[in-house]
Amino acid sequence: MQGKVWRVCIVGSGPAGFYTASRLLKQSASSAALKSKNVRLEVDMLEGLPVPYGLVRYGISPDHPEVKSVVNKFNEMAVQEGTGPGGSGRFEFMGNVRIRTSSSAQTSTSPVRETRQSFQSTDIQWGNSGVRVQDLLKRYHSIVLAYGSSKDRRLNIQNEDAGGVISARQFVAWYNGYPSQIATVKSDEVIDKNSQSQASPDGASDSKSTDPMQSNKEHVMMSTLLKQNSSAVIIGQGNVALDIARVLLIPNPRESLGKTDMPDYAVNALVDSKVRDVTIVGRRGPLNVSFTAKELRELDVICKQHGIQCLVLDADVNEQLEKLKRQSSSTKSKQERGRIRVLEVLNRFQNSDKDIDGNGKASGRSLAFRFFKSPAEINVSKDKDSNKEVISEVKFATTRYTNEDACDQVEIVPNCPAEGIKTNFLIKSIGYQSVGVDGLPFDSKRGRLPHTQGRVLSSAVPDDESNSNGYNVMNGVYVAGWLKTGPTGVIASTMYDAYQTADCLLQDIESDIHLPNDQVPARQDTIQWLQSQIGSRPVTFEDWKVIEDEEIRRGKLLGKPYEKITKTDEILQILHKHHNKVKN
Ligand code: FAD
Ligand code: NAP
């Protein structure tokens, strides 16, 4: 007997999207309730880029291949459940389809910790076009939004967009080969000549026609910054700041990064880099850093191995460590143990610099950690060659703990003159940021979709989030990943969190709770509709395997696992050629 097909759309193909999909497909196959109702689940995964895996491919540092290998699991699931030979047909990837996001966000100018939850956005990569989520809501029984955090948090100080100031997201995307969204070849010429005639009247199909030189400009900017500066300042003390410091300071990039998946253009630029000194500045104390012990230890090993001098300034780490040990309960929590381990490494750095001899800086490189400095001002000067304003100095207000016992919130020390650090290269590593979509609520205070256990609420909960009683759940709408938690968390936490969302969704399917659609179109119908919206056939998982094969082929020539193709145009061209070859 033909059963009911329950159609789920997941937006975003990062870890959250893939873990949600695999949990849904696995658990639904063994659900007695779904079996008895003869319900078959189908998952479509929409992704703005033409290739899958989100930050695993474009965020995680190339020198962490063991973390990136999580994609093997995703791949396994996509093949087993996919529409290719031998697959169950329950899963399809649909790349190069982005949903339209809104750019509404809140701004705050408070320089200290309260600013953490306040956002303003810059969308460098994508314009304001794409598929409307309201239209997607009409085509599925359930939708899971897992499109992460693709923008930058802002400092909200003057000149933060001056020349020489970049965000960590920009730098990480550059050294990870994030594809330019530019299709200089019209996408209808690329895959399907017939689709253009059905293009959406609201212009949604124009999503990729911007400045074709953009990606090249970005590359020229990054390599120039590396070539012209002997020092760099990083604001923010999270793991992303450590990733960047490692990449900037590693003395022999060809040897250490040349065999990773870092694109060759980035390795070459790092080989030519003149950056020797990196300063990582935090607005609070060593007790409040966001980076974790494992990552700090990794840096410690690299610094020792290569003779990179480590300095810790502005705070007595030993004193803070002793205080923390005294304050901590005898049965220490995981968080307390983690903090102690971080302080122990920083303490070693602080003490080793006292003994530093001529060999301590054998590589001629140094890494300094500075504390209690809140960014206050960026001074600029005119660059002689470009006539553009570029950063010359960043000024910091000195902070102190509001409550010395709690060691958490800080305030600006009154009447203390701001301290300047001269630099022409500033990296803001203060976190990523999510945006909402028109037609769905967005909690701009917390920077994420409002939800209870992954079920999206019709409005944000103002204060105590744990109590969402009285707030309506939007039937059939779910959220996972950084869009659910805000832009923090590692792959493992993202996985557990995605499982929670998937389990709630399954419970709802069993109770027949869905979007208010009587008729849900079949996958083929939706593919055709998407084609009419974006002007080309979406990139399928089988298409992605063609791209992956080509990347592996190019990688072999360079002695690395794969060389990423970093232009959307080129990816679509390769697929066009492949499809033509298969047809003939
Ligand atoms: P993402 O991975 O960002 O996936 C979101 C997906 O949605 C992307 O593919 C994106 O292209 C897509 N998308 C965005 N907007 C749209 C749209 N409008 N329409 C359609 N699709 C869209 N964790 C670790 O465990 N180890 C590490 O070493 C590590 N390193 C990291 C390094 C960096 C620089 C960063 C930023 C994070 C790192 N993390 C690491 C954390 C890890 O990457 C995240 O926990 C995880 O990627 C979050 O998953 P996600 O699916 O929510 O978001
Ligand atoms: P993060 O951990 O949230 O760190 C952001 C840093 O920026 C904090 O030190 C924060 O200080 C500071 N900051 C925020 N706003 C600021 C402002 N206005 N002025 C000055 N400083 C400001 O973010 P992230 O480094 O981007 O990392 C994101 C997530 O990815 C984290 O969960 C991280 O662990 C994960 N990640 C993991 C790995 C790994 O496992 N190897 C690698 C990279 C990333 P306050 O604390 O004072 O707000």
Side-chain angles (χ1 to χ4, degrees):
M1 190 184 74
Q2 183 73 40
K4 174 176 177 173
V5 176
W6 191 289
R7 305 251 314 125
V8 178
C9 172
I10 297 180
V11 180
S13 70
F18 267 98
Y19 280 124
T20 306
S22 57
R23 178 79 164 193
L24 277 176
L25 291 166
K26 189 164 171 222
Q27 301 295 94
S28 66
S30 57
S31 158
L34 296 193
K35 262 190 206 145
S36 71
K37 291 184 192 168
N38 206 8
V39 172
R40 173 189 153 94
L41 200 77
E42 275 184 10
V43 175
D44 293 351
M45 180 179 280
L46 271 52
E47 165 59 52
L49 294 177
V51 296
Y53 307 139
L55 283 171
V56 180
R57 203 170 139 92
Y58 299 117
I60 291 171
S61 187
D63 60 348
H64 286 168
E66 71 293 349
V67 186
K68 292 195 180 225
S69 68
V70 67
V71 301
N72 297 338
K73 283 262 165 247
F74 302 158
N75 178 51
E76 220 172 85
M77 182 283 289
V79 171
Q80 265 172 21
E81 301 285 5
T83 51
S88 72
R90 297 197 302 157
F91 173 85
E92 185 57 286
F93 173 76
M94 300 182 186
N96 207 26
V97 179
R98 76 169 290 260
I99 62 151
R100 224 179 271 191
T101 48
S102 53
S103 51
S104 52
Q106 273 189 355
T107 314
S108 161
T109 48
S110 168
V112 286
R113 181 129 208 277
E114 301 76 74
T115 56
R116 173 132 214 187
Q117 307 287 6
S118 308
F119 308 107
Q120 193 189 9
S121 61
T122 35
D123 188 347
I124 295 164
Q125 303 292 343
W126 287 337
N128 196 26
S129 54
V131 173
R132 290 178 347 137
V133 81
Q134 291 95 324
D135 294 333
L136 280 180
L137 294 177
K138 293 181 196 144
R139 302 195 141 256
Y140 289 91
H141 293 97
S142 324
I143 183 168
V144 183
L145 297 156
Y147 59 83
S149 312
S150 51
K151 296 190 179 187
D152 302 316
R153 274 195 192 136
R154 304 269 300 168
L155 288 170
N156 297 321
I157 60 176
Q158 217 185 350
N159 295 327
E160 75 172 291
D161 299 313
V165 184
I166 58 169
S167 70
R169 187 183 59 79
Q170 271 177 290
F171 192 61
V172 167
W174 170 77
Y175 72 57
N176 260 314
Y178 187 92
S180 63
Q181 277 298 103
I182 296 121
T184 46
V185 179
K186 275 193 202 147
S187 43
D188 59 315
E189 287 166 18
V190 176
I191 296 184
D192 185 347
K193 287 207 177 274
N194 301 324
S195 59
Q196 185 66 7
S197 57
Q198 298 161 25
S200 153
D202 63 4
S205 62
D206 294 334
S207 63
K208 291 168 254 67
S209 54
T210 49
D211 177 3
M213 295 309 287
Q214 181 68 30
S215 63
N216 194 36
K217 267 191 208 158
E218 189 94 342
H219 174 57
V220 170
M221 176 183 71
M222 295 300 175
S223 29
T224 308
L225 281 172
L226 293 172
K227 226 190 275 184
Q228 291 187 342
N229 290 291
S230 61
S231 66
V233 175
I234 303 176
I235 295 180
Q237 295 185 321
N239 281 329
V240 172
L242 293 192
D243 278 353
I244 292 175
R246 249 188 3 264
V247 166
L248 285 174
L249 285 174
I250 200 92
N252 42 11
R254 170 73 54 217
E255 236 172 68
S256 48
L257 299 168
K259 302 286 176 236
T260 69
D261 73 349
M262 181 180 281
D264 231 33
Y265 67 73
V267 177
N268 290 336
L270 289 166
V271 169
D272 291 342
S273 169
K274 296 281 179 294
V275 175
R276 297 291 178 266
D277 301 301
V278 173
T279 304
I280 302 183
V281 188
R283 60 178 165 178
R284 295 191 286 155
L287 265 172
N288 318 106
V289 294
S290 290
F291 37 70
T292 40
K294 184 168 162 272
E295 281 60 39
L296 199 59
R297 280 204 208 106
E298 181 187 7
L299 200 61
D300 185 21
V301 170
I302 291 175
C303 288
K304 282 204 182 100
Q305 199 179 345
H306 298 285
I308 299 170
Q309 183 181 30
C310 287
L311 302 161
V312 175
L313 306 170
D314 317 315
D316 186 337
V317 179
N318 194 41
E319 190 187 294
Q320 293 223 348
L321 180 59
E322 291 307 316
K323 189 170 176 181
L324 180 62
K325 283 183 179 164
R326 273 198 310 276
Q327 279 175 350
S328 304
S329 50
S330 51
T331 52
K332 294 185 176 58
S333 67
K334 198 174 162 206
Q335 199 198 9
E336 282 169 340
R337 289 199 304 272
R339 275 190 186 200
I340 288 174
R341 283 199 290 265
V342 166
L343 285 185
E344 281 168 350
V345 184
L346 286 175
N347 199 25
R348 270 208 306 278
F349 287 165
Q350 190 154 52
N351 291 322
S352 67
D353 87 71
K354 287 183 187 134
D355 315 320
I356 217 118
D357 55 23
N359 298 323
K361 205 180 168 184
S363 64
R365 291 162 199 249
S366 76
L367 172 63
F369 292 91
R370 304 212 53 185
F371 295 97
F372 298 111
K373 308 223 158 324
S374 182
E377 216 177 304
I378 290 173
N379 292 333
V380 293
S381 59
K382 271 258 172 2
D383 176 58
K384 288 195 296 298
D385 299 329
S386 65
N387 207 27
K388 287 196 177 131
E389 293 203 316
V390 295
I391 178 174
S392 54
E393 181 183 42
V394 50
K395 284 199 151 179
F396 295 93
T398 303
T399 63
R400 65 181 178 202
Y401 287 124
T402 315
N403 174 344
E404 278 294 333
D405 291 328
C407 290
D408 186 21
Q409 304 288 326
V410 289
E411 62 191 8
I412 288 170
V413 180
N415 306 321
C416 182
E419 185 181 336
I421 301 182
K422 300 267 180 237
T423 186
N424 302 118
F425 187 8
L426 178 69
I427 303 172
K428 299 176 288 175
S429 183
I430 58 170
Y432 287 46
Q433 180 194 329
S434 298
V435 285
V437 285
D438 289 334
L440 286 184
F442 188 71
D443 184 342
S444 41
K445 188 172 155 210
R446 298 178 180 90
R448 59 194 191 208
L449 252 60
H451 68 93
T452 169
Q453 300 192 317
R455 294 182 175 100
V456 172
L457 298 170
S458 55
S459 64
V461 181
D463 298 316
D464 181 7
E465 258 209 317
S466 60
N467 183 7
S468 54
N469 288 344
Y471 287 84
N472 292 331
V473 161
M474 297 182 77
N475 284 347
V477 187
Y478 305 82
V479 60
W482 277 15
L483 187 61
K484 174 184 177 187
T485 57
T488 58
V490 292
I491 304 276
S493 54
T494 301
M495 177 186 79
Y496 288 119
D497 163 79
Y499 286 178
Q500 182 194 53
T501 296
D503 291 348
C504 288
L505 203 167
L506 269 172
Q507 277 171 18
D508 290 353
I509 299 176
E510 288 172 1
S511 310
D512 206 24
I513 295 171
H514 52 79
L515 285 159
N517 297 322
D518 297 331
Q519 297 281 316
V520 166
R523 180 179 282 147
Q524 270 319 313
D525 188 304
T526 291
I527 289 178
Q528 278 184 2
W529 172 76
L530 285 173
Q531 195 162 313
S532 73
Q533 295 286 299
I534 64 170
S536 60
R537 195 167 66 80
V539 175
T540 63
F541 201 76
E542 288 209 348
D543 291 336
W544 153 242
K545 296 310 263 175
V546 172
I547 298 302
E548 192 183 36
D549 285 348
E550 176 59 15
E551 290 189 341
I552 292 171
R553 190 190 68 78
R554 293 181 188 192
K556 271 197 187 128
L557 302 175
L558 297 164
K560 56 206 285 192
Y562 50 93
E563 176 70 353
K564 286 177 195 163
I565 302 168
T566 58
K567 289 196 171 63
T568 299
D569 249 9
E570 201 181 343
I571 292 173
L572 298 177
Q573 282 283 14
I574 291 167
L575 291 177
H576 177 53
K577 278 195 193 140
H578 171 80
H579 285 286
N580 274 348
K581 210 162 123 192
V582 172
K583 252 192 254 164
N584 299 327

